[in-house]
Amino acid sequence: MSTTTWLEYAEHILRGAAKFGADAEVFIRLTEVTEVDSGTVVAEAFRASNTLVTVRLLLGGRLGWVTSSPPIRADELLATAKSTARFGPTVPWTFRFNQGQVAWDPNPPPAHPDVESLHDHVVATSKKAGDAVTIHVAARIRSNWRLVANSGGLRVAGPRQGVKVSLTVKPAQVRGRPPLLVEGEGPDLSTATKRAIKAATRRFHELDAPLGWPPDPLPPVVLAPPAATQVVLLLLHRTCIVDAGPLCTEGCYVEWPAGLEIRDEPLLDQDVRGFDDEGVTIRPLLLVKDGQVQGRIADLDRAARFGLEPTGHALRDDRGLPSPTFHRVVLRHAGGHPNLELAMLDRALVIYRLSLADPDEINRIMAMIQEGVVIHRGQPVCRIRGGTLIASMRTLLRDALPLADPDNDNEIPHLLLGHHVRVQASRT
Amino acid sequence: MLSLLKSALEAATADYLELRAEFGTRTRIESINGEVQFVHSDIHGGTGVRVLVRGAWGRAAVTNLEDLDKAIQEAQTAARVSGGGKVRLAPISNVCETVPRPAVRRPPDRVPLEEKVVLVEACAKILQMARYPRQQTRVTYQDMTIDRYVVTSEGTAIVEPRLLAVMEIEVFASGDNGVCQAMEYIGGSADFEDLAVAPEAAERCLSRVGRMAHADSISPGIYDVVCDPALTGLLAHEIVGHMLEADVTAGDAQLMLRLRRATPIAWEGLCLVDDPTAEGEGRYVYDDEGTRGRRVSLIQHGRVTGHLHSRATAAAFGVEPTGHARACGYDVAPLVRMSNTFVLPADDDPEDLIGSIQKGIYACGTRGATGGRYFALQPQEAYLIENGRITKPIRGVRLYGDAFECLRRIDGIGRDFGLFSGGCGGCYKGGQGPLRTSSGGPHMRLRGMMVK
């Protein structure tokens, strides 16, 4: 079906809902995925196309919700949505027209490279590092075209694309050493690949270091991307989302460092006419400054319940309801980065990746170290896999300092933590 | 549907082509703090294509059946591009079978939506009786009725229904020493009637959070620990089960050496199996490659006796496939996954296991885990054992350490048994989840575990 036909389909659903006195919202997402993985074990390539239709229906003040993939007939969809609305929650809002800039782009995202071209790119990338290391490359291109239409008169549509390139780096000669895992993301294949290669190159020298355990006494701990991003997002999730979840709003006060400024910059890699999955215009937002929360994000439902305006951060995860999600979080030191570099630290434990698989921990963070390295004057001493980072959610970043790094173009830089963390080895 | 899939195979030029389709409906209802948050109906379907050409996989997936021929072409192209891999498939008997729906009292698709909502509201109402500062309660109901198809160019044509009804009941509360949580999983079978006990589970949840709200923490250190059957199951799944999935073992040279057949890796009393034919949430007849699932002995008297296999890993290991290639959707490739994993009962009286400990911990239920060589397990609740008796509740307990070290610390296994569903969550290996599994066993004693 063409994008015009999808609009007609959405209009048909909205008219059908109006016939029995309901307001409705139709969300349609056409997704294309192309993946090539040169494979640490098995090489594989993948293509997928997926169509999802979601209808939310307000009938007598109650919310009904149905998703369908593949799409079914409009009348069947409406009948199912109506049956769920009978028992759904009463909500204090209705679907409305987005007051922001109107976005209507019927064009699909740029065509993906065919699998052969992507495979050639993956092979070329894996050869870039030379003979000393073996690199396995996985490239994933995901694009979609979204349409949001509602009974308030909103009609927005447009494409979106994201690319992720993952590298698994091993020494070519030595066996039994765990690989380095790095990723690069971007709006296109070239950008994502450059970011991944750059991140990998910076860490090649670690491959020679033996495996070890977190040292005792513990040296200063540095969170490097992506662990820094994982932690900052976790804490933002608890403090900068309206009604974030169990006991988060008042129970999870976080002490943010005075010098840091954290912003959500959704337009860095995206179309400036971007909109979220409820059709609300995306805009930059200051989240934290001078140690204080300055902005919180909300979808239509949370905004209405707390007397706020939706902020353009409602995204749908697969078939879920729209929920507040940060787009691109950027962390900067308010007065420029302090003049402190990783290499200047006499000794440090640098953590690259944490396992934050424990979503219900309210007060403490207890995260397994998946990848880390102990450095001495910038040189790797040993690599760390295992051990647990333990800290209070509240004070984890209280004295954190971003490290200056001219080569680092990550939105969230390396963060040198204060003395509020413990690292526990995983063996007696 | 089956004939449509079979006719689509005719265009195949690959060495092996497999179509996996699923079509059905799912329902999800959630109540938070006594108020229904949503009632969601999902109409679900799509087809996955997997092609093997000269030892390399190509895959494609589509939601619209009219795109299936194109998807087959794309998968074949993808496989050719991947080019010259080492994948071989162990042979299986090609079966043409439509597995009947499980004979249950009330399958979830025959239950009116109103009745499901009423059940959720009844549990939510019980939870609202809690009166803690800043409490939050959540009740989630989830069901699915899905027909799964596996059709291959070798001649396999299987239709197997997957039915499930499950509930998760949860209370967060702020107690004397911070926030605590209690959770109950109910159901996991194809029978809605099994959820009739949900209100009792809500009561249990409430009393548990009451105990934990006033519990003290203990000092981190080394303790003797007795796990209840649910935590024994989590340990079996996370610490041992994943290591014995053949794709995990094969991906790590050290594991390959340490987990060779007949190698002693645990206390001699430990016997562990995975059994997709057992009555648990991980039950199925055929896996996602069309191999009949069978019970596998993983550890017998402390020694490795087997691994879980897909067709590809079985070929690589030179053994028969065990029927453990499972995918949590038509659009992802099957991986080697567990089904119902449990420790077999032994001879010890559970009370004796506890009675033999001077100072230790009785850890019950499951709340979360990080698996792998270095693991961390979180029980739902824990009690101090003093002089052989359970004395008082303690909170914030986690067991952690090295998997191999942990297996050697087992020194007692009870004669009781329980098998537990994964609730609305499940296994997330390789980011693919939730996959329906269950795990369990008897009470189990471990000496000198690291606890924090």
Side-chain angles (χ1 to χ4, degrees):
Chain A
M1 282 186 1
S2 71
T3 51
T4 315
T5 317
W6 282 115
L7 177 62
E8 286 167 8
Y9 178 73
E11 299 276 12
H12 186 57
I13 292 170
L14 295 176
R15 281 196 301 275
K19 280 183 189 165
F20 54 83
D23 281 346
E25 175 204 67
V26 182
F27 173 80
I28 297 171
R29 183 169 57 207
L30 316 178
T31 306
E32 297 282 329
V33 177
T34 307
E35 277 178 23
V36 170
D37 187 344
S38 70
T40 47
V41 180
V42 178
E44 189 175 82
F46 176 60
R47 280 274 300 152
S49 61
N50 173 291
T51 308
L52 172 74
V53 178
T54 298
V55 176
R56 288 197 292 172
L57 195 75
L58 279 174
L59 184 59
R62 286 181 175 273
L63 183 69
W65 174 31
V66 61
T67 50
S68 176
S69 176
I72 57 171
R73 279 181 16 212
D75 55 340
E76 289 178 42
L77 210 51
L78 275 171
T80 310
K82 202 173 161 184
S83 68
T84 59
R86 229 184 111 200
F87 308 105
T90 305
V91 295
W93 47 268
T94 186
F95 301 109
R96 57 184 185 171
F97 180 67
N98 174 20
Q99 297 300 321
Q101 193 175 1
V102 176
W104 183 262
D105 186 348
N107 299 310
H112 291 198
D114 55 35
V115 172
E116 288 98 327
S117 310
L118 189 59
H119 181 263
D120 290 346
H121 177 85
V122 159
V123 170
T125 304
S126 66
K127 288 179 178 165
K128 276 184 183 168
D131 298 332
V133 296
T134 314
I135 298 189
H136 293 290
V137 184
R140 176 187 172 93
I141 303 172
R142 182 188 176 90
S143 62
N144 60 48
W145 181 83
R146 296 169 303 146
L147 181 154
V148 190
N150 70 31
S151 304
L154 175 78
R155 305 287 184 273
V156 291
R160 216 171 183 185
Q161 179 167 289
V163 180
K164 182 187 273 188
V165 173
S166 310
L167 307 181
T168 308
V169 185
K170 287 180 173 177
Q173 306 300 332
V174 189
R175 297 191 68 186
R177 293 267 167 86
L180 305 174
L181 305 172
V182 293
E183 285 178 352
E185 291 186 45
D188 54 62
L189 188 58
S190 164
T191 309
T193 306
K194 275 182 198 157
R195 286 177 178 165
I197 289 284
K198 192 171 168 184
T201 309
R202 291 161 56 91
R203 293 184 52 201
F204 279 168
H205 65 301
E206 292 175 16
L207 281 168
D208 295 331
L211 269 181
W213 288 95
D216 185 16
L218 186 68
V221 176
V222 174
L223 293 179
T229 313
Q230 287 177 290
V231 167
V232 169
L233 284 178
L234 175 73
L235 298 182
L236 282 178
H237 190 275
R238 284 156 185 268
T239 51
C240 291
I241 291 182
V242 175
D243 192 22
L247 306 172
C248 281
T249 310
E250 43 180 317
C252 286
Y253 177 70
V254 169
E255 295 181 29
W256 295 99
L260 290 191
E261 181 176 301
I262 305 176
R263 306 179 67 86
D264 191 39
E265 294 283 1
L267 307 181
L268 275 179
D269 272 348
Q270 292 175 12
D271 189 322
V272 289
R273 292 173 303 161
F275 54 90
D276 74 1
D277 289 349
E278 290 180 322
V280 177
T281 304
I282 286 173
R283 58 188 169 83
L285 186 66
L286 176 63
L287 298 168
V288 176
K289 190 177 181 184
D290 295 331
Q292 300 294 318
V293 171
Q294 303 286 328
R296 298 203 294 159
I297 63 172
D299 57 351
L300 190 57
D301 181 67
R302 285 174 172 83
R305 283 192 282 114
F306 288 83
L308 306 167
E309 283 294 312
T311 56
H313 289 83
L315 296 181
R316 300 175 202 244
D317 179 12
D318 193 19
R319 289 157 195 243
L321 279 173
S323 66
T325 308
F326 298 101
H327 296 288
R328 272 193 87 157
V329 170
V330 177
L331 186 150
R332 296 283 178 259
H333 201 266
H337 282 178
N339 188 21
L340 179 60
E341 294 180 21
L342 190 59
M344 290 165 62
L345 298 175
D346 181 50
R347 199 171 166 84
L349 167 61
V350 182
I351 298 173
Y352 291 109
R353 203 176 296 272
L354 289 164
S355 168
L356 290 170
D358 180 6
D360 297 320
E361 190 62 48
I362 306 290
N363 303 312
R364 287 187 302 178
I365 181 170
M366 293 184 74
M368 193 83 79
I369 299 170
Q370 291 183 318
E371 256 196 299
V373 64
V374 176
I375 57 163
H376 179 55
R377 292 183 184 151
Q379 294 305 308
V381 176
C382 65
R383 296 175 62 199
I384 306 294
R385 278 176 106 192
T388 307
L389 176 80
I390 304 169
S392 148
M393 292 271 190
R394 179 172 174 155
T395 57
L396 174 61
L397 290 186
R398 186 166 74 190
D399 303 319
L401 275 178
L403 299 183
D405 185 354
D407 291 336
N408 184 8
D409 57 2
N410 285 293
E411 285 81 13
I412 297 183
H414 288 60
L415 293 171
L416 172 64
L417 302 181
H419 300 290
H420 312 290
V421 294
R422 276 195 303 134
V423 173
Q424 183 83 49
S426 296
R427 65 175 184 184
T428 46
Chain B
M1 171 58 66
L2 204 52
S3 58
L4 195 150
L5 294 174
K6 281 180 179 172
S7 66
L9 285 176
E10 288 166 11
T13 57
D15 303 337
Y16 170 78
L17 193 151
E18 164 193 288
L19 301 178
R20 285 185 300 109
E22 52 188 45
F23 294 93
T25 56
R26 298 188 283 211
T27 309
R28 194 174 162 94
I29 303 163
E30 184 169 286
S31 165
I32 291 181
N33 293 337
E35 291 181 13
V36 171
Q37 299 297 300
F38 60 76
V39 178
H40 177 208
S41 185
D42 180 38
I43 296 128
H44 170 81
T47 307
V49 183
R50 198 164 66 142
V51 162
L52 191 62
V53 176
R54 296 196 312 278
W57 287 118
R59 292 191 301 115
V62 286
T63 46
N64 303 319
L65 276 170
E66 55 265 34
D67 297 330
L68 183 54
D69 288 342
K70 186 178 163 212
I72 291 174
Q73 295 308 321
E74 286 179 335
Q76 291 184 151
T77 306
R80 271 193 291 274
V81 165
S82 298
K86 294 175 183 170
V87 177
R88 302 287 177 270
L89 299 180
I92 55 170
S93 309
N94 294 306
V95 176
C96 294
E97 184 178 343
T98 298
V99 177
R101 280 173 70 124
V104 296
R105 292 162 293 182
R106 298 182 77 200
D109 58 335
R110 306 275 163 80
V111 178
L113 186 57
E114 184 171 8
E115 199 172 329
K116 299 169 186 173
V117 176
V118 166
L119 182 63
V120 168
E121 287 180 331
C123 296
K125 195 173 171 186
I126 292 167
L127 297 186
Q128 286 310 102
M129 289 158 60
R131 290 285 178 269
Y132 296 100
R134 301 191 354 246
Q135 72 185 29
Q136 178 143 357
T137 66
R138 177 157 52 200
V139 180
T140 308
Y141 168 89
Q142 197 171 304
D143 69 37
M144 70 173 184
T145 306
I146 286 176
D147 283 329
R148 292 173 51 263
Y149 299 79
V150 181
V151 179
T152 73
S153 56
E154 293 175 343
T156 290
I158 293 166
V159 188
E160 183 171 353
R162 291 274 162 89
L163 281 77
L164 176 83
V166 65
M167 284 181 78
E168 201 167 281
I169 298 166
E170 208 174 2
V171 183
F172 293 87
S174 181
D176 299 341
N177 299 304
V179 177
C180 57
Q181 176 204 29
M183 192 190 290
E184 283 275 338
Y185 304 122
I186 312 298
S189 74
D191 197 345
F192 181 80
E193 287 295 309
D194 288 346
L195 300 178
V197 297
E200 292 161 32
E203 301 268 9
R204 278 201 302 276
C205 224
L206 213 52
S207 59
R208 183 178 309 140
V209 82
R211 289 193 295 274
M212 302 321 291
H214 303 295
D216 293 323
S217 303
I218 56 158
S219 312
I222 308 291
Y223 293 88
D224 293 343
V225 175
V226 174
C227 300
D228 82 338
L231 193 63
T232 295
L234 184 69
L235 190 149
H237 180 105
E238 294 291 350
I239 297 180
V240 202
H242 280 307
M243 287 198 302
L244 289 166
E245 291 166 335
D247 54 347
V248 174
T249 317
D252 185 324
Q254 284 189 349
L255 275 188
M256 277 294 276
L257 276 174
R258 296 187 77 153
L259 295 176
R260 279 175 305 185
R261 211 176 167 85
T263 309
I265 61 163
W267 178 61
E268 62 183 11
L270 182 73
C271 299
L272 177 73
V273 301
D274 186 279
D275 188 357
T277 68
E279 288 291 344
E281 191 173 338
R283 181 186 173 86
Y284 55 86
V285 179
Y286 293 97
D287 75 0
D288 287 297
E289 292 180 331
T291 307
R292 198 172 184 98
R294 65 176 168 86
R295 179 178 171 125
V296 178
S297 169
L298 297 171
I299 295 176
Q300 186 77 22
H301 302 303
R303 290 174 184 270
V304 176
T305 46
H307 286 76
L308 304 179
H309 284 288
S310 64
R311 292 184 65 187
T313 63
F317 277 60
V319 297
E320 285 188 11
T322 59
H324 286 83
R326 302 182 68 195
C328 62
Y330 67 86
D331 54 347
V332 293
L335 301 174
V336 181
R337 308 290 290 261
M338 284 169 266
S339 58
N340 304 305
T341 313
F342 45 90
V343 173
L344 296 179
D347 299 329
D348 292 321
D349 185 328
E351 288 188 12
D352 291 345
L353 293 177
I354 294 166
S356 63
I357 291 177
Q358 285 304 303
K359 186 171 185 188
I361 292 167
Y362 179 48
C364 317
T366 62
R367 187 174 150 195
T370 305
R373 170 78 190 268
Y374 303 109
F375 69 90
L377 300 180
Q378 262 187 294
Q380 272 228 36
E381 59 180 331
Y383 297 85
L384 201 59
I385 301 172
E386 292 171 298
N387 301 320
R389 295 184 61 194
I390 292 172
T391 53
K392 60 178 184 178
I394 46 177
R395 64 194 309 270
V397 167
R398 280 168 201 242
L399 316 180
Y400 70 104
D402 177 306
F404 289 104
E405 206 175 296
C406 169
L407 290 174
R408 285 191 294 270
R409 293 183 182 281
I410 300 168
D411 81 338
I413 291 180
R415 62 170 80 108
D416 56 333
F417 184 78
L419 191 60
F420 299 86
S421 104
C424 297
C427 179
Y428 278 81
K429 177 183 174 183
Q432 285 189 25
L435 187 84
R436 300 295 164 188
T437 57
S438 69
S439 57
H443 278 79
M444 191 160 76
R445 185 178 57 212
L446 299 104
R447 298 287 187 181
M449 287 292 292
M450 287 197 288
V451 174
K452 62 189 167 196

